[in-house]
Amino acid sequence: MQLDANIPSGPLSEKWDKHRFELKLVNPANKRKYSIIVVGTGLAGGSAAASLAELGYYVKNFCIQDSPRRAHSIAAQGGINAAKNYQNDGDSIWRLFYDTIKGGDFRAREANVYRLAQVSNHIIDHCVAQGIPFAREYGGLLANRSFGGAQVARTFYARGQTGQQLLLGAYSSLMRQVAAGQVTLFPRREMLDLVVINGQARGILVRNQITGEIESHAADAVVMCTGGYANVFYLSTNAMASNVSATFRAYKKGAFFANPCYTQIHPTCIPVHGTYQSKLTLMSESLRNDGRVWVPKMPGDKRPPNQIPESERDYYLENKYPSFGNLVPRDVASRNAKGQCDLDKGVGETGFAVYLDFKDAIKRDGKDVIAQKYGNLFQMYEKITASNPYEEPMMIYPASHYVMGGLWVDYNLMSNLPGLFVLGEANFSDHGANRLGASALMQGLADGYFVIPYTIGGYLAGTDRPEVTTDHPAFKDAVHYVSERINKLLSINGKRTVDDIHRQLGHILWEYCGMSRSDEGLLKARKLIQELRGEFWENSLVPGSSEDFNQSLERAGRVADFLEFAELLVIDAFERKESCGGHFNEAYQTEENEAKRDDENFCHVAAWEYKGDDTEPELHKEPLVFKNVQLTQRSYK
Ligand SMILES: Cc1cc2nc3c(=O)[nH]c(=O)nc-3n(C[C@H](O)[C@H](O)[C@H](O)COP(=O)(O)OP(=O)(O)OC[C@H]3O[C@@H](n4cnc5c(N)ncnc54)[C@H](O)[C@@H]3O)c2cc1C
């Protein structure tokens, strides 16, 4: 099957304008007749639901948390990119586009990325109008800082709480529409299935987490904004409820899953400190603006950092990559940290950490300036580690953080299933094989505020859809399937906790499909995952009942999906015989140990189709065509 990305014709810079003009419109009176389901209330879902309702559509908006404000997006710390060039340091839409394409190791679609860069500037204006308290310069202009993979400062921020402030903006817009009756909120609901009728997405099934009731909801279109699956690694920086279930269930209903092996390991997280830890904490990439990364030059050196003289420190990123220094992209920084630890230069008790040192910045700018920029992050670090980063360097290590893979979408952000749109981290679209810092918030808000309001109109006005209610047999079938699965989970009655099995899955993936991969390791991982899945269905313990609040049941459902999805992730990694961005297969590296792509054979999106539980998934390839940039070996030297 040939996947059609529906990329508009014409010059790159004119595609979006042309497309918006050509898309069919729904007249205001007709918008009232259409209902749209939006799953998710993070930056992608919140902005989409608010914008669609503002246009006049009737929106049903679902989330797992008790309030839309608690979506995982609230955790975003460092900032949001835009090509405003307020710093006059050479930024432009083209440069943001190019940096993103290059940062993603030439594995993203040119047209989508260019649109993202164009729209980035509107996002900042929109958010300022909402009252988002972005940091400002002394003269009142919005301030910027630098993030990895860029040599310009284009990141807008609100201290270390940018996601929270942006989410409050989206939430305010959303609540305005709730008050107007255009949006009905469904908190504490978990999507358990997608309903497809005549090949079109027409509804969802959710479990009411308080009463346990399975509810059916029909609509003219479904917009999924359910975030990323980094929790498949068990330990990650994501919120505990982040999951793959929603997108994986859609995959099982026919939506293609694209590039599942593109996962991002973030270089600056607080290192793992115990076996029974359930969560990892990010130290924002913004810290690499002022913090310097180093390890002792001598392997096995266990002296405390302040006893290691300057001449015996290796600022390995600055030395190896003089142009970008500490601000190389995340995949590069993470692999280098691992490389240093593999050489026995890692620090701290476990040896799985490197230093991030603010001594020089504090000497240069003063403690107050550093506290103003990163105060809440320093406080968070001290609370968790009992070490004061103003006095001694932070210890950091890479951790699973973000995923570039997700459901396949075309230029309109519609999946291969008509009527199913996918936004934000849940889709695969804009970051290729590695996302640059501060670009996820940009993408989520671009998708929700500026893309879906146009493209969904084109779909609704341009397709015939029969009247559908939840009495349709497809809904009954889905209720039957979902209820059976819940009963099966509750009846396993084994001995191992679901968390324990999830932890083991995380170990397998981290070991064999994490920062560095090999064919041999991937084959082993696949076998181990299959065995573990078998054990889950035979020997896990899911207490309680389905008819009330049962977090063990919720978790078990998510882990069951992770156990299936993990195999797809590994299959995808095995199939991609090259290294690119976050996907690093040891067999494919340059002499300097950088990722080595194979553009001749792998310059494509790998989109996987579900074929049945006991059948191999089928691979569909969307070729990536680069007409505006030249494919080169990435260099940050
Ligand atoms: C610690 C941390 C810091 C970060 N900092 C930055 C940063 O500074 N800049 C940047 O650009 N990016 C950052 N990121 C990445 C960024 O925060 C995320 O990629 C982005 O917020 C995802 O937004 P989203 O709307 O797609 O999904 P989310 O915010 O994850 O929202 C998902 C929504 O879907 C709902 N949902 C999920 N599954 C279901 C289901 N089965 N049923 C019903 N509802 C469901 C959830 O309840 C939630 O409302 C950071 C990430 C982390 C982990």
Side-chain angles (χ1 to χ4, degrees), residues 39-46 62-65 68 70-81 147 162-163 189-192 206 225-228 237-239 241-243 245-246 281-282 284 330 401-402 423-426 435-442 444:
V39 192
T41 58
L43 285 177
F62 298 80
C63 68
I64 287 181
Q65 292 79 7
R70 287 194 218 279
H72 157 70
S73 290
I74 201 170
Q77 300 171 346
I80 175 167
N81 286 332
F147 260 59
T162 317
R189 305 297 203 287
E190 179 151 11
M191 174 179 161
L192 294 183
V206 294
C225 316
T226 50
T237 60
N238 282 199
S242 295
N243 65 85
S245 292
T281 307
L282 177 76
S284 167
R330 292 174 177 178
H401 172 70
Y402 178 86
L423 277 52
E425 196 173 338
R435 171 177 71 84
L436 292 183
S439 286
L441 303 187
M442 170 172 73

Side-chain angles (χ1 to χ4, degrees), residues 259-282:
N259 301 332
C261 80
Y262 289 170
T263 57
Q264 178 164 84
I265 312 279
H266 195 296
T268 57
C269 303
I270 298 182
V272 177
H273 59 260
T275 318
Y276 293 104
Q277 193 172 346
S278 57
K279 182 90 197 63
L280 289 175
T281 307
L282 177 76

Side-chain angles (χ1 to χ4, degrees), residues 165-215:
Q165 298 305 327
L166 293 172
L167 191 59
L168 287 172
Y171 175 74
S172 308
S173 304
L174 183 63
M175 293 316 284
R176 181 179 125 80
Q177 291 303 323
V178 171
Q182 285 295 114
V183 175
T184 306
L185 273 181
F186 294 87
R188 289 283 198 195
R189 305 297 203 287
E190 179 151 11
M191 174 179 161
L192 294 183
D193 212 354
L194 176 76
V195 177
V196 180
I197 297 171
N198 296 336
Q200 296 169 325
R202 294 306 302 269
I204 62 170
L205 249 64
V206 294
R207 179 172 180 271
N208 181 323
Q209 294 171 315
I210 306 295
T211 64
E213 193 185 335
I214 305 296
E215 302 169 356

